[in-house]
């Protein structure tokens, strides 16, 4: 099972995976661990990541970037309209009123939704993870900003579903960072001790987030979050761009903002200059060649001048910091550490501003760009059964207060209730009790719209259906469970009607078995104890609804009839009167009723299915285009490789006539690639390559054979010499081989003789061949002879000696005891030096002379 964490950044993305050795941030095909959040559309395919960013200037109107904040928003949203002015591509309104991105793809205009674009980016990140894990990726955890609303979170989940990813959790950026920080700490206080408070600050390319977390051993609790969604590194870039636009207009008479390509180039150069100023306090140059109208431009900027330009941006840092401290109700002295991450926190002025507020030096122990992805991978490993991770509980918070309104009956006052206050623990569930005669509607909304960076305060509508009065005419008792789930999304998850029923003693057992199927209140209460937690809201509960305040929903209070029955039973126990006939028992059961849900900006199911199908088609098209490009590149590579080798090592392995013809074919193919063959089918490229190989492969084969043949002949000669020595030693009565039968040794001798004869003939034939002719003997034939020789001789000459006990003897030679056989063997060993060290050399004709008689 895959364990993957995706950090979907505004400008860049990172992928982290869990392996046996721990968490690892993986690299893409460019060996870069950072993948730009850019998608570019072309006439044949789309490119994503690094390759797409390289087309940002040359294909500006069809390259999509900075789209993260468009999730879950209407086209008329003020934020969308502000972003529209900063983008080179076109934003349009979709049929549903959402945001569409118009580009040219496959030579046709296409409108893609933000969910589709993010799905394309996730496709690339998924491929990166799969290429590193060497297996399919399905389960994952995806990061989102802490300030994302329900609509934006649902939009990101839809993007994951388009790609076929099972998102186990949408994790807040800052919570992921805190998990990455705390799970490795060995010095955290014990659970019963005072927690360690750490503040995490993250200024990325588009937003500034900050959170305070309480750490105990094996436990993380988020205390509060604050943010400025409109303050990030790109705002500092824009200050530089505006400054240089003004300077170039007065100095070079150039209107930079009138040309989108020039403006994008200036943005790139200003971003580089900003990074250089973070490490250099001296004046730094900015030079751009052929900027506009073939004019080269240049300017200078110092860090102090840059900080002066960005004074208003730096002042905005303090507001979220103050808001956070007000939320958690702590003093600066209570903060144990301040950890900073994000690209823009590398700006010295930003770092100093945060340090000055908390009156302590900031820490940079986390990897600034990769901390979020690593935290997501850790969370995925915790949720996955495939990995055993140190126990570490994570409690997040609800960023905005959420309230419910409901339809009323008769003279009842308007119903509303704040179910989740700001910084309420999440994920969390509550059970509300309503008394109704008819179906009713609940509407969820953000209680304080001014604190939400989203124009629509409403979250969704929920209609509880199939409600009718009880049999006795009273209002039905309806229990509604509301929940903020693990993704941070609010929903009305279930609704149940509580009904009373009388059960005779005889039918009690049958009723109990039936109640198991329908779900008894007792079972419901046990389930609630496990999964439903309650808090104590400060706001009063309106009379139309009751909120269960305990850790589990309380059992229904006994009715007056039930109470009387209980009192009667008590009296009967005390008296000695005979028992009266038992009355029917009162039991209750809960019947789950359907809920009709309508969220704000939720993708329709048919639209989502269409997006899934379209993404599959585009993935297939990308694959086909890649194969076509690979086939074209293979032809081009073959042309350049053989042209170079024919003038080098391959030159003497081809005749003059064939060389001239082959070089002419290579030149023709190269010209064809640059003209008519620039955009052809994969099949045609494959045919061209096959035609080239008909000329080139024989040359390559002759070269390869000539390189390997001498070595293989040498190996074969050495084996022949080895077995020849064994035969000679056998004939000389060597004790080492006397256990081998004469028949077997004759087989060895025969095999050696036949192989030597074949080798002599092969070497003679090959000596007569020219280098530009095909070999007379091939290396695979030599290998076959070597293998046959070893198989026929090796088993015989390596036979183990039979175990024979030597007779004991009292005779000694030179003070050492030897048997009679040993003494006789020593006397009879008369092998000449020349026979022991016989060599095997080819003669002048290439024949090996060996005397086996």
């Amino acid at each position: 099972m895959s364990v993957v964490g995706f950090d979907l950044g505004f400008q860049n993305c990172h992928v982290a995976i869990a392996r046996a050795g721990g968490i690892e941030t993986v690299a893409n095909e460019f060996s870069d661990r950072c993948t730009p959040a850019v998608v570019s559309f072309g006439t044949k395919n789309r490119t994503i990541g690094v390759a797409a960013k390289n087309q940002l200037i040359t294909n500006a109107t069809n390259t999509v970037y900075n789209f993260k904040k468009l999730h879950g928003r209407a086209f008329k949203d003020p934020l969308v309209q502000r972003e529209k002015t900063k983008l080179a591509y076109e934003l349009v309104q979709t049929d549903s009123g959402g945001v569409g991105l118009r580009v040219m793809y496959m030579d046709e205009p296409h409108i893609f939704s933000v969910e589709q674009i993010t799905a394309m980016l996730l496709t690339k990140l998924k491929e990166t993870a799969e290429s590193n894990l060497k297996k399919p990726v399905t389960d994952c955890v995806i990061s989102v900003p802490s300030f994302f609303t329900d609509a934006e979170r649902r939009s990101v989940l839809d993007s994951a579903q388009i790609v076929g990813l099972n998102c186990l959790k949408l994790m807040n950026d800052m919570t992921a960072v805190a998990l990455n920080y705390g799970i490795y700490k060995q010095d955290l206080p014990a659970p019963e001790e005072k927690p360690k408070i750490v503040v995490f600050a993250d200024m990325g390319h588009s937003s500034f987030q900050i959170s305070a977390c309480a750490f105990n051993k094996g436990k993380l609790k988020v205390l509060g979050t604050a943010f400025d969604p409109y303050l990030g590194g790109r705002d500092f870039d824009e200050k530089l761009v505006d400054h240089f636009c003004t300077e170039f207009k007065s100095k070079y008479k150039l209107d930079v903002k009138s040309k989108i390509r020039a403006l994008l180039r200036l943005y790139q150069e200003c971003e580089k200059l900003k990074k250089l100023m973070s490490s250099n306090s001296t004046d730094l140059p900015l030079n751009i060649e052929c900027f506009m109208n073939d004019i080269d431009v240049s300017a200078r900027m110092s860090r102090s001048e840059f900080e002066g330009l960005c004074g208003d941006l730096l002042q905005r840092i303090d507001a979220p910091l103050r808001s956070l401290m007000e939320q958690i109700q702590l003093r600066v002295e209570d903060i144990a550490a301040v950890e900073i991450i994000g690209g823009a926190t590398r700006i010295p002025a930003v770092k100093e501003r945060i340090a000055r507020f908390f009156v302590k030096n900031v820490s940079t122990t986390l990897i600034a760009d990769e901390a979020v992805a690593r935290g997501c991978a850790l969370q995925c490993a915790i949720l996955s059964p495939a990995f055993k991770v140190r126990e570490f509980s994570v409690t997040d918070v609800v960023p905005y207060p959420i309230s419910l309104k409901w339809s009323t009956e008769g003279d009842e006052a308007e119903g509303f209730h704040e179910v989740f206050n700001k910084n309420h623990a999440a994920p969390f569930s509550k059970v509300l009790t309503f008394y109704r005669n008819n179906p009713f509607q609940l509407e969820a909304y953000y209680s304080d719209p001014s604190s939400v960076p989203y124009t629509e305060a409403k979250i969704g509508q929920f209609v509880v259906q199939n409600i009718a009065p009880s049999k006795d005419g009273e209002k039905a008792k309806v229990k509604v469970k509301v929940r903020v789930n693990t993704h941070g999304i609010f929903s009305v998850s279930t609704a149940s009607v509580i009904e009373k029923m009388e059960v005779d003693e005889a039918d009690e057992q049958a009723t109990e078995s039936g109640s198991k199927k329908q779900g008894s209140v007792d079972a419901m209460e046990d389930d609630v104890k496990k999964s439903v937690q309650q808090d104590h809201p400060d706001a009063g509960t309106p009379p139309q609804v009751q909120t269960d305040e305990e850790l589990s929903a309380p059992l229904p209070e006994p009715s007056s009839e039930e109470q009387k029955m209980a009192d009667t039973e008590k009296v009967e126990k005390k008296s000695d009167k005979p028992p009266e006939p038992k009355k029917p028992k009162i039991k209750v059961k809960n019947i789950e009723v359907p809920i009709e849900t309508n969220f704000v900006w939720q993708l329709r199911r048919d639209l989502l299915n269409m997006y899934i199908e379209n993404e599959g088609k585009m993935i297939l098209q990308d694959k086909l285009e890649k194969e076509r490009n690979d086939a074209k590149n293979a032809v081009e590579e073959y042309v350049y490789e053989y042209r170079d080798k024919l003038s080098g090592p391959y030159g003497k392995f081809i005749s003059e006539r064939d060389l001239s013809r082959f070089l002419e074919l290579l030149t023709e193919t190269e010209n064809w690639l640059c003209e008519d063959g620039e955009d052809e089918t994969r099949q045609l490229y494959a045919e061209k390559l096959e035609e080239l190989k008909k000329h080139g492969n024989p040359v390559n084969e002759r070269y390869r054979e000539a390189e390997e043949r001498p070595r293989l002949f040498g190996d074969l000669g050495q084996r022949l010499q080895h077995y020849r020595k064994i035969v000679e030693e056998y004939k000389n009565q060597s004790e080492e081989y006397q256990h081998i039968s004469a028949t077997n040794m004759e087989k060895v001798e025969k095999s050696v003789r036949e192989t030597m004869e074949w080798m002599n003939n092969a070497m003679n034939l090959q000596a007569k061949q020219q280098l530009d002719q095909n070999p007379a003997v091939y290396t695979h034939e030599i290998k076959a002879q070597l293998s046959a020789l070893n198989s026929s001789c090796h088993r015989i000459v390596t036979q183990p000696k039979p175990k024979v006990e030597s007779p004991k003897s009292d005779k000694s030679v030179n003070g050492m005891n030897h048997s009679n056989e040993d003494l006789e063997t020593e006397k009879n060993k008369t092998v000449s030096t020349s026979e022991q060290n016989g060599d095997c050399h080819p003669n002048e004709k290439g024949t090996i002379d060996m005397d086996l008689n």
Side-chain angles (χ1 to χ4, degrees):
M1 184 181 294
S2 61
V3 174
V4 182
F6 295 124
D7 174 17
L8 286 180
F10 185 84
Q11 185 184 34
N12 296 307
C13 304
H14 294 83
V15 181
I17 61 176
R19 282 188 175 138
I23 304 299
E24 177 186 351
T25 308
V26 298
N28 53 31
E29 72 273 25
F30 293 91
S31 299
D32 192 349
R33 294 193 288 187
C34 167
T35 299
V38 184
V39 182
S40 184
F41 298 90
T43 57
K44 294 289 183 181
N45 67 331
R46 56 185 186 170
T47 53
I48 308 167
V50 177
K53 188 176 181 180
N54 294 335
Q55 301 182 30
L56 185 60
I57 296 175
T58 57
N59 190 26
T61 56
N62 297 314
T63 301
V64 179
Y65 58 97
N66 291 6
F67 50 83
K68 183 176 180 178
K69 289 192 175 181
L70 305 179
H71 273 287
R73 292 182 180 268
F75 178 75
K76 296 180 181 179
D77 192 301
L79 181 140
V80 175
Q81 295 303 312
R82 287 199 304 271
E83 290 291 324
K84 185 179 179 182
T85 61
K86 303 176 183 179
L87 303 173
Y89 54 91
E90 184 180 2
L91 295 184
V92 296
Q93 184 170 343
T94 62
D95 296 338
S96 60
V99 183
L101 298 82
R102 189 201 299 274
V103 293
M104 291 295 294
Y105 172 55
M106 305 282 288
D107 293 325
E108 294 180 358
H110 282 73
I111 297 176
F112 295 107
S113 67
V114 184
E115 290 83 3
Q116 286 180 283
I117 299 295
T118 301
M120 296 175 195
L121 182 60
L122 283 171
T123 296
K124 183 65 177 180
L125 301 180
K126 180 182 177 184
E127 290 174 359
T128 300
E130 289 177 341
S131 65
N132 282 272
L133 286 170
K134 307 300 181 187
K135 59 183 176 180
V137 168
T138 303
D139 293 341
C140 65
V141 170
I142 301 175
S143 72
V144 292
S146 306
F147 53 81
F148 257 26
T149 61
D150 279 36
E152 293 166 297
R153 292 171 187 266
R154 286 195 299 271
S155 179
V156 174
L157 282 178
D158 288 337
S159 297
Q161 193 171 349
I162 291 172
V163 186
L165 288 171
N166 176 30
C167 182
L168 301 178
K169 181 174 184 177
L170 283 181
M171 195 170 195
N172 291 331
D173 290 339
M174 304 313 297
T175 309
V177 173
L179 175 60
N180 183 34
Y181 172 87
I183 199 169
Y184 295 110
K185 292 291 182 182
Q186 302 293 330
D187 58 346
L188 295 179
E192 66 277 3
E193 296 178 357
K194 183 179 179 182
K196 178 181 180 180
I197 310 298
V198 181
V199 168
F200 299 92
D202 174 16
M203 183 178 287
H205 192 62
S206 69
S207 61
F208 177 45
Q209 305 176 70
I210 186 167
S211 70
C213 301
F215 289 95
N216 289 91
K217 192 174 183 61
K219 181 180 178 182
L220 155 66
K221 179 177 175 59
V222 181
L223 301 179
T225 61
F227 36 77
D228 186 340
Y230 314 113
L231 175 63
R234 68 169 180 166
D235 297 288
F236 292 88
D237 296 341
E238 286 178 1
K239 290 289 185 180
L240 290 173
V241 169
D242 292 340
H243 171 78
F244 289 121
C245 282
T246 304
E247 183 174 338
F248 293 159
K249 190 168 187 178
S250 61
K251 188 175 180 180
Y252 299 102
K253 310 301 181 185
L254 297 175
D255 185 6
V256 179
K257 294 186 177 180
S258 64
K259 300 287 185 180
I260 187 62
R261 290 188 177 183
L263 185 60
L264 290 174
R265 285 187 68 189
L266 183 57
Y267 265 102
Q268 290 181 347
E269 295 300 324
C270 287
E271 185 179 357
K272 294 177 184 177
L273 181 63
K274 177 190 69 177
K275 293 177 180 178
L276 287 173
M277 285 190 291
S278 296
S279 56
N280 295 276
S281 57
T282 58
D283 281 5
L284 295 173
L286 180 138
N287 300 310
I288 310 176
E289 295 181 356
C290 297
F291 181 58
M292 282 181 67
N293 304 331
D294 294 330
I295 297 176
D296 300 339
V297 297
S298 62
R300 301 189 72 83
M301 175 71 71
S302 66
R303 183 194 292 177
S304 58
E305 188 178 358
F306 171 62
E307 291 176 355
L309 286 174
C310 304
D312 57 331
L313 298 178
L314 296 173
Q315 290 179 0
R316 288 169 56 183
I317 294 175
D318 289 348
L321 303 180
R322 287 194 298 268
S323 173
L324 178 70
M325 298 306 293
E326 290 172 2
Q327 291 176 40
I328 63 177
Q329 295 294 307
L330 293 175
R331 300 171 301 168
V332 174
E333 294 79 10
D334 299 326
I335 307 299
V338 179
E339 287 282 341
I340 61 171
I341 64 164
T345 56
R346 294 185 175 97
I347 300 174
V350 172
K351 199 180 300 183
E352 292 169 6
R353 195 94 184 185
I354 297 173
R356 190 185 311 139
F357 180 90
F358 289 104
V359 199
K360 57 172 56 68
N361 293 329
V362 295
S363 302
T364 55
T365 58
L366 299 173
I367 303 175
D369 298 323
E370 303 173 6
V372 175
R374 294 174 66 86
C376 289
L378 281 167
Q379 181 65 75
C380 192
I382 292 172
L383 297 174
S384 170
F387 276 78
K388 186 177 181 180
V389 186
R390 179 186 306 160
E391 292 186 8
F392 203 87
S393 68
V394 179
T395 304
D396 213 327
V397 295
V398 178
Y400 313 111
I402 299 174
S403 294
L404 273 180
K405 288 193 298 189
W406 51 84
S407 54
T408 57
E409 294 181 353
D411 299 331
E412 294 177 347
E414 183 182 9
F416 66 92
H417 178 57
E418 184 174 280
V419 287
F420 295 106
N421 57 338
K422 184 177 176 62
N423 293 331
H424 192 290
F428 210 90
S429 296
K430 291 188 178 182
V431 177
L432 308 179
T433 304
F434 293 85
Y435 296 89
R436 287 289 183 272
N437 285 325
N438 301 300
F440 60 99
Q441 176 179 292
L442 300 170
E443 181 179 309
Y445 63 96
Y446 294 114
S447 309
D448 184 12
S450 61
S451 66
V452 183
Y454 193 78
T455 52
E456 179 62 66
K458 188 167 108 175
I459 296 174
Q461 289 182 341
F462 311 89
V463 179
V464 182
Q465 301 175 332
N466 297 356
I467 305 298
S470 59
K471 295 179 181 179
D472 55 6
E474 295 182 358
K475 291 183 178 181
K477 183 178 182 181
V478 185
K479 284 190 175 289
V480 176
K481 183 198 245 184
V482 297
R483 178 169 177 78
V484 173
N485 63 17
T486 186
H487 303 304
I489 298 174
F490 176 87
S491 65
V492 176
S493 55
T494 59
S496 302
V497 175
I498 309 301
E499 284 191 357
K500 300 176 184 177
M501 59 185 297
E502 295 182 357
V503 182
D504 294 333
E505 185 177 2
D507 301 331
E508 182 177 356
Q509 188 170 359
T511 306
E512 286 178 357
S513 62
S515 65
K516 289 180 181 178
K517 297 179 182 179
Q518 298 179 359
S520 64
V521 170
D522 295 336
M524 182 194 74
E525 299 303 339
D526 291 339
D527 179 65
V528 168
K529 287 180 182 179
K530 296 178 182 178
S531 62
V532 180
Q533 298 176 331
Q534 304 297 337
D535 71 339
H536 299 268
D538 298 332
T541 304
Q544 302 98 321
V545 63
Q546 295 177 5
T547 306
D548 293 340
E549 300 291 346
E550 301 173 4
L551 286 177
S552 61
L555 290 169
E557 295 181 1
S559 62
S560 58
E561 184 178 352
E562 292 174 313
Q563 189 64 40
K564 289 178 181 178
M565 182 182 70
D567 294 339
T568 303
E569 289 178 354
K570 291 179 182 178
V571 172
E572 287 176 351
K573 289 179 182 178
K574 293 180 180 178
S575 65
D576 296 331
K577 295 180 180 180
E580 296 180 0
K582 292 184 179 179
K583 296 182 179 180
K585 290 187 177 181
I586 305 297
K587 288 208 168 186
V588 292
K589 65 177 180 178
N590 71 318
I591 302 173
E592 192 166 326
V593 294
I595 302 172
E596 180 184 336
T597 302
N598 293 297
F599 287 115
V600 174
W601 297 112
Q602 178 72 41
L603 273 182
R604 301 193 314 270
R605 173 54 56 180
D606 60 334
L607 201 56
L608 183 61
N609 291 335
M610 185 183 74
Y611 289 165
I612 294 172
E613 182 180 353
N614 289 343
E615 179 63 20
K617 291 179 180 177
M618 286 187 284
I619 290 174
L620 179 60
Q621 176 62 31
D622 292 343
K623 181 180 179 181
L624 294 175
E625 181 62 16
K626 182 180 183 301
E627 291 175 352
R628 191 190 72 85
N629 283 327
D630 289 345
K632 178 183 177 182
N633 292 337
V635 176
E636 189 174 7
E637 182 181 349
Y638 199 89
V639 169
Y640 293 141
E641 178 187 359
Y642 271 78
R643 178 177 292 158
D644 181 56
K645 288 183 176 180
L646 287 173
S647 61
Y650 285 9
K652 55 187 176 181
F653 294 95
I654 186 171
S655 65
E656 290 292 334
R657 180 181 177 185
D658 291 342
L659 176 62
S660 175
R661 188 181 305 166
F662 193 17
L663 288 174
E664 184 179 350
L665 179 61
L666 291 174
T667 302
E668 289 177 0
T669 306
E670 182 182 13
N671 294 335
W672 176 79
L673 284 171
C674 298
E675 296 171 1
D676 297 338
E678 186 176 0
D679 188 12
E680 289 293 343
T681 62
R682 181 178 66 87
Q683 182 61 31
L684 185 55
Y685 290 128
E687 292 172 358
K688 286 287 184 181
L689 182 61
E690 193 62 32
E691 183 181 359
L692 292 173
K693 285 183 176 181
K694 289 179 182 178
H695 294 76
N697 284 4
V699 182
N700 178 55
E701 184 181 46
R702 289 194 287 268
Y703 171 78
R704 181 173 49 80
E705 290 283 333
E707 288 287 311
E708 294 185 17
R709 192 185 309 112
R711 179 181 60 81
L712 291 174
F713 271 138
D715 292 345
L716 183 57
Q718 288 178 4
R719 297 311 296 170
L720 285 169
Q721 178 68 14
H722 172 70
Y723 293 126
R724 172 184 172 274
K725 287 182 180 180
I726 292 174
V727 172
E728 289 178 351
E729 290 184 17
Y730 178 81
K731 289 181 178 180
N732 292 328
Q733 302 297 315
S734 172
E735 182 185 0
E736 185 177 356
Y737 300 106
Q738 288 307 305
H739 64 282
I740 301 175
S741 67
T743 304
N744 284 339
M745 191 56 74
E746 286 176 3
K747 292 180 181 179
V748 174
E749 185 176 357
K750 180 182 177 182
S751 180
V752 170
R753 184 183 300 108
E754 290 176 351
T755 305
M756 182 188 65
E757 184 179 351
W758 178 90
M759 181 176 174
N760 287 334
N761 293 334
M763 294 181 71
N764 287 332
L765 288 174
Q766 184 59 42
K768 297 175 183 178
Q769 294 291 100
Q770 300 294 327
L771 291 176
D772 58 2
Q773 294 177 328
N774 289 334
V777 58
Y778 288 88
T779 55
H780 68 85
E781 296 175 304
I782 306 174
K783 290 177 181 177
Q785 288 291 330
L786 181 58
S787 177
L789 178 67
N790 283 328
S791 63
S792 62
C793 299
H794 183 73
R795 180 179 56 81
I796 296 175
V797 300
T798 56
Q799 290 181 22
K801 294 181 181 180
K803 295 182 179 180
V804 179
E805 295 183 1
S806 301
K808 297 182 179 179
S809 174
D810 295 333
K811 298 179 180 180
S812 62
V813 179
N814 297 331
M816 298 181 66
N817 292 330
H818 293 273
S819 67
N820 292 332
E821 287 184 8
D822 293 338
L823 294 172
E824 191 65 26
T825 302
E826 291 292 335
K827 295 176 181 178
N828 293 331
K829 281 189 176 179
T830 56
V831 181
S832 65
T833 305
S834 61
E835 288 178 338
Q836 288 179 343
N837 302 314
D839 296 326
C840 175
H841 296 290
N843 61 19
E844 294 180 356
K845 295 182 180 180
T847 305
I848 290 182
D849 294 327
M850 300 178 69
D851 185 10
L852 297 177
N853 297 318

